[in-house]
Amino acid sequence: MAQILAPSTQWQMKVPKSSTFGSPIATKMWSSLFLKQNMHGTTKSTGKFRVLALQSDNITVNRVEQLLNMDVSPCTDKIIAEYIWIGGSGIDMRSKSRTIAKQVEHPSELPKWNYDGSSTGQAPGDDSEVILYPQAIFKDPFRGGNNILVICDAYTPAGEPIPTNKRHKAAEIFSNKKVVDEVPWFGIEQEYTLLQQNVKWPLGWPVGGYPGPQGPYYCGAGADKSFGRDISDAHYKACLYAGINISGTNGEVMPGQWEYQVGPSVGIEAGDHIWCSRYILERITEQAGVVLSLDPKPIEGDWNGAGCHTNYSTKSMREEGGFEVIKKAILNLSLRHKEHISAYGEGNERRLTGKHETASIDTFSWGVANRGCSIRVGRDTEKNGKGYLEDRRPASNMDPYVVTGLLAETTILYEPTLEAEALSAQKIALKV
């Protein structure tokens, strides 16, 4: 991951009242896309939005484009809020739009809403109403203007969090005074794979075939090495526009695979920013006609999987003598290895094999500058005696609320017995 410095001073749970937003995502960016697919119709582009015409009537196309790009702010104070939530699989994202009477500064100013949970696998048909609670606001890079994206979590009408609402427990952990005092920072490396739409095979790969072996693709440039750069760059700019604390991006080891980093973020903000960044990526790949995959091992064989490495530190880790605190945290993590693995993403056993820069899923390990370990500590952290650790176990489809909450819980709140600590320290050769 790109070097972690310090969290942004901008708290993205609200939108400043004085914000004046620029133009939404321009579709000039799609003009150089590698997609040469046969479509039932022709594609027309303007400087802003790309529209698929189902007929050859240019006048109709232009009118639709004009409406899509229309700035309504001179005519009304009303804005459009896109309410976003996590669906029944725990990884799919859903959203719907509503009109808000005026610009808002904080999610508490937004009304709660509801949806049909029986259509998302989150409620029975005879009691299907699920309530959305607005939790975080971001600027909308698709509609522009004062319009917003709203990250929500979901509750029953009685006010109980539904089973797929992992934010609720994470918020409780991050509101604990011990955790608040430690000011936990997270830097999350989200890897993903782009797939061709009709065949579900990685972008840039011959259909049913394979490219050359891994080696030239990581951070590579060139038409035979980099597949999907326009999508990565569009996503980068859209996240910056939205107010997401995105800190970098790069091509990954497997061709057609990319990574972006979000953070450092404090506490619950880390999960909000990752989920919103995933939603934006879904929308961009939708426009580009490409399928987004968060499968941790999309292609079997001698190909890297996709992870979501999570860099983590507390105030005590960042201060003098912090390396001893880091080692104590590693000890705690070793004692709860199974609990973490069970919550770190579906299909992770196909990725954590001990090969392709991973540790074995069955064995906890740690090391300095070792990407084949469960927990990696950087050379600078060892040299300076303070810094952060990297948990390399989370899969690309992990829930960031679960992972960040578990890391804080295990390293700050969890208190193992002295006997368990001694046995574990001996097992993993860790002197604390």
Side-chain angles (χ1 to χ4, degrees):
M1 178 182 176
Q3 183 164 356
I4 296 179
L5 298 176
S8 167
T9 55
Q10 183 180 10
W11 182 257
Q12 297 301 342
M13 294 293 286
K14 64 181 182 178
V15 175
K17 188 173 183 179
S18 60
S19 297
T20 55
F21 306 153
S23 300
I25 284 184
T27 53
K28 287 178 181 177
M29 65 183 66
W30 307 125
S31 62
S32 62
L33 274 173
F34 35 76
L35 303 174
K36 303 292 185 183
Q37 302 172 0
N38 292 324
M39 294 182 173
H40 300 295
T42 57
T43 303
K44 301 291 181 180
S45 296
T46 66
K48 291 187 177 180
F49 255 94
R50 183 188 194 216
V51 175
L52 177 65
L54 299 181
Q55 54 181 307
S56 59
D57 187 345
N58 290 334
I59 296 176
T60 301
V61 173
N62 290 336
R63 286 174 178 170
V64 172
E65 290 179 339
Q66 288 169 8
L67 289 171
L68 282 171
N69 295 310
M70 181 184 296
D71 178 12
V72 300
S73 56
C75 308
T76 179
D77 291 331
K78 294 177 180 179
I79 64 168
I80 301 172
E82 191 75 19
Y83 279 46
I84 302 164
W85 71 95
I86 301 161
S89 71
I91 189 65
D92 63 308
M93 304 196 73
R94 310 293 180 112
S95 73
K96 60 178 183 173
S97 312
R98 70 177 297 167
T99 302
I100 304 298
K102 60 179 181 179
Q103 185 179 351
V104 298
E105 296 182 61
H106 193 274
S108 62
E109 299 176 61
L110 292 167
K112 295 175 184 177
W113 206 6
N114 65 74
Y115 67 92
D116 173 15
S118 68
S119 295
T120 61
Q122 293 171 294
D126 59 354
D127 188 15
S128 63
E129 192 167 287
V130 180
I131 312 301
L132 292 171
Y133 287 32
Q135 299 291 0
I137 294 175
F138 298 88
K139 294 176 284 186
D140 187 339
F142 303 101
R143 293 189 174 106
N146 292 326
N147 302 303
I148 55 176
L149 304 177
V150 185
I151 295 295
C152 304
D153 56 358
Y155 296 79
T156 68
E160 296 294 323
I162 66 173
T164 52
N165 180 356
K166 307 302 182 183
R167 190 186 191 280
H168 180 79
K169 182 180 178 181
E172 287 183 340
I173 292 170
F174 288 120
S175 63
N176 183 290
K177 187 179 186 304
K178 283 187 177 180
V179 178
V180 171
D181 290 345
E182 282 291 347
V183 196
W185 291 1
F186 298 94
I188 300 177
E189 306 172 36
Q190 176 69 69
E191 295 179 342
Y192 62 93
T193 308
L194 298 173
L195 305 178
Q196 301 170 55
Q197 185 172 17
N198 296 326
V199 294
K200 303 297 176 65
W201 199 240
L203 202 64
W205 291 36
V207 177
Y210 297 86
Q214 294 182 154
Y217 309 109
Y218 172 70
C219 297
D224 58 342
K225 304 177 191 70
S226 177
F227 312 111
R229 187 185 299 278
D230 282 356
I231 290 174
S232 174
D233 282 355
H235 177 252
Y236 198 166
K237 290 183 177 180
C239 284
L240 287 172
Y241 177 97
I244 290 168
N245 192 20
I246 187 168
S247 51
T249 185
N250 59 269
E252 265 303 330
V253 177
M254 190 185 87
Q257 193 176 87
W258 292 81
E259 175 191 300
Y260 64 92
Q261 303 92 30
V262 172
S265 306
V266 179
I268 196 69
E269 176 187 318
D272 291 336
H273 283 231
I274 283 290
W275 276 117
C276 192
S277 71
R278 285 177 175 177
Y279 175 80
I280 290 172
L281 186 55
E282 287 276 17
R283 289 283 301 275
I284 289 173
T285 53
E286 171 191 318
Q287 287 188 15
V290 173
V291 175
L292 169 66
S293 172
L294 296 182
D295 190 306
K297 186 70 173 177
I299 303 295
E300 296 298 326
D302 195 17
W303 304 98
N304 275 33
C308 210
H309 304 152
T310 302
N311 299 272
Y312 169 67
S313 70
T314 63
K315 182 180 178 183
S316 299
M317 294 177 188
R318 299 186 293 269
E319 294 176 343
E320 294 301 322
F323 194 32
E324 291 304 310
V325 181
I326 290 171
K327 289 195 287 185
K328 175 61 169 63
I330 292 171
L331 187 62
N332 281 16
L333 290 167
S334 72
L335 290 167
R336 301 189 76 194
H337 179 61
K338 289 184 178 179
E339 290 90 334
H340 281 252
I341 287 295
S342 66
Y344 273 15
E346 293 294 325
N348 211 11
E349 71 282 353
R350 294 182 284 116
R351 168 180 162 264
L352 295 180
T353 62
K355 300 177 181 179
H356 303 111
E357 302 181 65
T358 70
S360 168
I361 195 170
D362 299 315
T363 306
F364 182 88
S365 59
W366 82 283
V368 177
N370 187 345
R371 284 178 163 77
C373 286
S374 307
I375 304 294
R376 181 183 72 89
V377 175
R379 290 284 182 202
D380 284 346
T381 294
E382 181 187 44
K383 179 182 177 180
N384 297 330
K386 59 184 177 180
Y388 67 95
L389 61 85
E390 177 193 31
D391 191 341
R392 296 181 60 81
R393 296 171 294 174
S396 50
N397 59 4
M398 64 82 151
D399 187 323
Y401 295 134
V402 173
V403 170
T404 57
L406 260 178
L407 280 169
E409 183 181 65
T410 297
T411 61
I412 300 172
L413 303 178
Y414 174 57
E415 297 180 357
T417 65
L418 292 176
E419 182 181 9
E421 281 187 341
L423 288 172
S424 182
Q426 185 179 18
K427 185 177 180 181
I428 63 174
L430 184 64
K431 295 179 181 180
V432 179

